[in-house]
Amino acid sequence: MKTYGQFCPVAKASEVFCERWTALILRELATGATRFAQVQRGVPLASPTILSRRLKALEAEGIVERRRSKTGRSWTYHLTPAGQDFAPIVEALGIWGQKWSRRTLQEHEIDLGLLLWALEKDVRPQAFGRERAVVHFDFHDRPRRQRHWWFVNENGACEMCVDDPGLEVDLHLTVSLPDMIYIWRGDLSLSHALESGRLEADGSTPMRRHLRDWLGICSLAHVKSERDRLAPAS
């Protein structure tokens, strides 16, 4: 890690926290990721080598603790008390980002994998009751190989399928990838997306009624933008 060469506590904390990828790694661990592959889904542009290096550095600093998995054949990662003290700082960064950095998405920010990971983590499968429920996303603006995704909700858990699981679909959702990101981020309300046709929901009345309860959106979606010229809906 680079040093600022200062004894100031702000400088000392910044040497740990401001290293590239650290805030995003802490975000993933603070929101429930424990396995290396899970953390990597939240920071897809960090190579496995870089991510491994950063986790080892955070472990050396006492920010992250590595434990044997239940099978004993792999490792899981967890925040230590020192790491947990960073969680409010990560949330504060998110609040600032919601208030001051929201704008129309740039092409390099339209990340399908990151959205799917966020949805898989945050959906509430119990919203559909005890019966199995399959939700199909059709991102109509994506290439064919990236267009269709299935979320199987059963026994209080949700599993995302990259291939058709061969089950009856209970709810079809057709939307563009940018609009789904806007919905998740809180820029486009679910009600307006449905009323305007930017999100089409095809299924039984009960399934459509429970969509709002099932769909997990950003925990900071309620934070309003302070930018004067935010125009994500254009």
Side-chain angles (χ1 to χ4, degrees), residues 95-216:
I95 292 172
W96 188 95
Q98 285 288 83
K99 290 178 67 175
W100 300 108
S101 71
R102 285 155 78 182
R103 49 174 166 66
T104 302
L105 289 166
Q106 303 299 304
E107 185 62 32
H108 69 276
E109 298 171 328
I110 303 174
D111 190 325
L112 174 61
L114 188 60
L115 174 68
L116 292 171
W117 173 231
L119 291 174
E120 188 176 4
K121 284 195 302 181
D122 296 336
V123 296
R124 295 177 287 273
Q126 63 275 15
F128 296 126
R130 296 183 179 180
E131 299 298 323
R132 182 176 64 201
V134 180
V135 179
H136 168 235
F137 275 90
D138 178 358
F139 295 107
H140 61 74
D141 62 324
R142 296 295 98 183
R144 184 176 181 83
R145 66 183 181 278
Q146 300 177 3
R147 180 167 174 169
H148 299 283
W149 305 87
W150 293 262
F151 289 76
V152 180
N153 305 267
E154 192 171 15
N155 298 323
C158 179
E159 179 183 0
M160 188 191 74
C161 299
V162 298
D163 297 311
D164 188 342
L167 302 171
E168 182 178 355
V169 173
D170 301 283
L171 186 63
H172 293 270
L173 300 177
T174 305
V175 63
S176 72
L177 179 56
D179 277 347
M180 195 61 228
I181 294 174
Y182 287 136
I183 293 170
W184 180 86
R185 201 168 65 171
D187 301 328
L188 175 62
S189 73
L190 182 60
S191 297
H192 180 67
L194 290 168
E195 292 169 1
S196 63
R198 292 171 67 170
L199 170 64
E200 297 179 8
D202 183 17
S204 68
T205 299
M207 290 295 295
R208 287 186 282 110
R209 185 170 61 243
H210 291 309
L211 172 59
R212 186 181 303 277
D213 297 326
W214 175 79
L215 185 63

Side-chain angles (χ1 to χ4, degrees), residues 63-75:
I63 306 300
V64 170
E65 177 184 27
R66 188 173 57 151
R67 305 173 190 167
R68 280 288 183 186
S69 67
K70 293 181 179 179
T71 64
R73 291 179 292 183
S74 60
W75 296 95

Side-chain angles (χ1 to χ4, degrees), residues 27-49:
R27 177 198 67 193
E28 293 304 309
L29 294 176
T31 54
T34 58
R35 292 183 287 112
F36 186 92
Q38 292 175 328
V39 177
Q40 190 171 33
R41 286 186 67 183
V43 285
L45 294 184
S47 70
T49 299

